[in-house]
Amino acid sequence: MQSWLNVLTLFAGGAAAGLVAGTATCAAAQGGLLMGLVDGCHGRDPALVAWFLAGRLTSYSVAGALLGLLGSAVSLPPRARAALLVAAGVTMIVFAVRLMRRGRCATPVSADAPSRYQAPLLGAATVLVPCGVTLGMEMIAVSSGSPVAGAAAMAGFVVGTAPAFALLGYVLRRLSRTRLARLAGVVAVAAGLWTIGAGINLGGWIGGPVGGPVGGPVGGPVGGTVGGTPPATGSGVQTVTIWATREGYRPAIVTARAGVPVDVVFKLADRGCTGTVTIGGRDIALPATVRLPPQPRGSLRYVCGMGMYTGLINFS
């Protein structure tokens, strides 16, 4: 029987992760979907944001339960997430253009007003556009091995990020009734373009694919040097060390010898988007050590789980 203490611990941990680390990244990646609930006539209805959050809570809890029950088999691969990020960016732009074209409204009723059916559907759709911290929570749900524990972790995460979404919804409702609606629309268009760019980067559709085959995480962190050509260990495996920070990966470019296996030691300085790295078509939660087989001369690219930050390993 699942320990209820463990369930409560996962829920509390998810809430803390959402409040501390997930607020900024998730609001940036998913908050644009709130634009679908705002127009110049009905943007004042606070119940729509509540329905949006209810839909988000439901979809995340179901996803967590499935991940806990079925494991990583139900998680989306990076290329699929990249396509969804592009689709989300396009949707954000469509909503923003609609808001800018409507401007102020003189009539209180409109046939195409946002409905309480549309709101939870948009909230539920946020699970398809995961932010970097969401990916880490999904991996926790997978490792829990329990649908109850997986749902608790994901539900706690939604609760932790709820204040940020509620505040964003309030701001959008207020702006939709003022002359600043067009400015808000311009900002949302920029956010949509940024989301599309992140999806393209994650998918490797510009700048080449993200890495080649990898051996996956191997044990705990091992020693290594940063910069220059790393030495090989006694087993013939060289090591490089990369720090994941809120501003990206440091150093962003490292050098290794071609034709020699390499352990890439990813260390975590800050919780955020870079806490999950996508390399070789796989998502890996950090900190971790990734074993790469011998590589040919050239560059291997990796990105964070949201496609925001990129790093390079040059093999020479």
Side-chain angles (χ1 to χ4, degrees):
M1 179 179 294
Q2 174 67 41
S3 169
W4 287 106
L5 179 60
N6 183 47
V7 171
L8 291 175
T9 300
L10 285 173
F11 180 86
L19 185 62
V20 175
T23 294
T25 56
C26 286
Q30 304 169 347
L33 294 176
L34 277 168
M35 295 293 296
L37 305 182
V38 176
D39 63 25
C41 304
H42 302 84
R44 288 187 181 276
D45 187 359
L48 292 179
V49 177
W51 282 107
F52 178 93
L53 293 175
R56 191 166 184 267
L57 177 62
T58 300
S59 66
Y60 270 68
S61 298
V62 170
L66 289 175
L67 288 169
L69 180 64
L70 303 177
S72 59
V74 299
S75 59
L76 293 174
R79 282 289 182 92
R81 289 204 321 276
L84 289 171
L85 279 172
V86 172
V90 172
T91 302
M92 291 163 61
I93 292 174
V94 170
F95 289 151
V97 170
R98 185 184 68 177
L99 176 63
M100 288 188 293
R101 292 182 63 183
R102 284 181 178 174
R104 296 179 65 85
C105 181
T107 59
V109 179
S110 174
D112 59 349
S115 70
R116 292 189 180 182
Y117 297 101
Q118 180 183 356
L121 289 176
L122 285 172
T126 59
V127 76
L128 300 176
V129 191
C131 65
V133 185
T134 304
L135 297 175
M137 295 308 303
E138 288 178 352
M139 292 179 182
I140 291 176
V142 169
S143 64
S144 71
S146 162
V148 176
M154 296 293 281
F157 178 74
V158 172
V159 171
T161 57
F165 279 90
L167 177 61
L168 180 60
Y170 171 79
V171 171
L172 289 174
R173 292 198 313 272
R174 295 297 298 268
L175 289 178
S176 70
R177 303 290 293 186
T178 70
R179 296 181 184 275
L180 294 177
R182 297 185 190 280
L183 177 60
V186 171
V187 173
V189 168
L193 292 173
W194 172 82
T195 302
I196 292 172
I200 292 173
N201 188 40
L202 178 60
W205 297 314
I206 292 180
V210 182
V214 299
V218 288
V222 298
T225 60
V226 179
T229 302
T233 64
S235 61
V237 179
Q238 57 188 321
T239 62
V240 296
T241 302
I242 300 171
W243 286 89
T245 72
R246 290 187 182 276
E247 291 76 33
Y249 296 101
R250 300 290 184 268
I253 301 176
V254 296
T255 302
R257 290 199 300 274
V260 180
V262 56
D263 281 344
V264 184
V265 184
F266 286 101
K267 295 186 177 182
L268 190 61
D270 302 300
R271 291 285 177 183
C273 166
T274 56
T276 301
V277 67
T278 298
I279 183 171
R282 296 178 56 187
D283 294 319
I284 298 174
L286 304 186
T289 300
V290 179
R291 170 70 54 83
L292 298 177
Q295 300 289 315
R297 292 178 181 272
S299 297
L300 183 147
R301 190 170 68 94
Y302 59 89
V303 299
C304 72
M306 285 178 63
M308 291 174 54
Y309 299 104
T310 302
L312 288 175
I313 304 175
N314 290 329
F315 291 93
S316 58

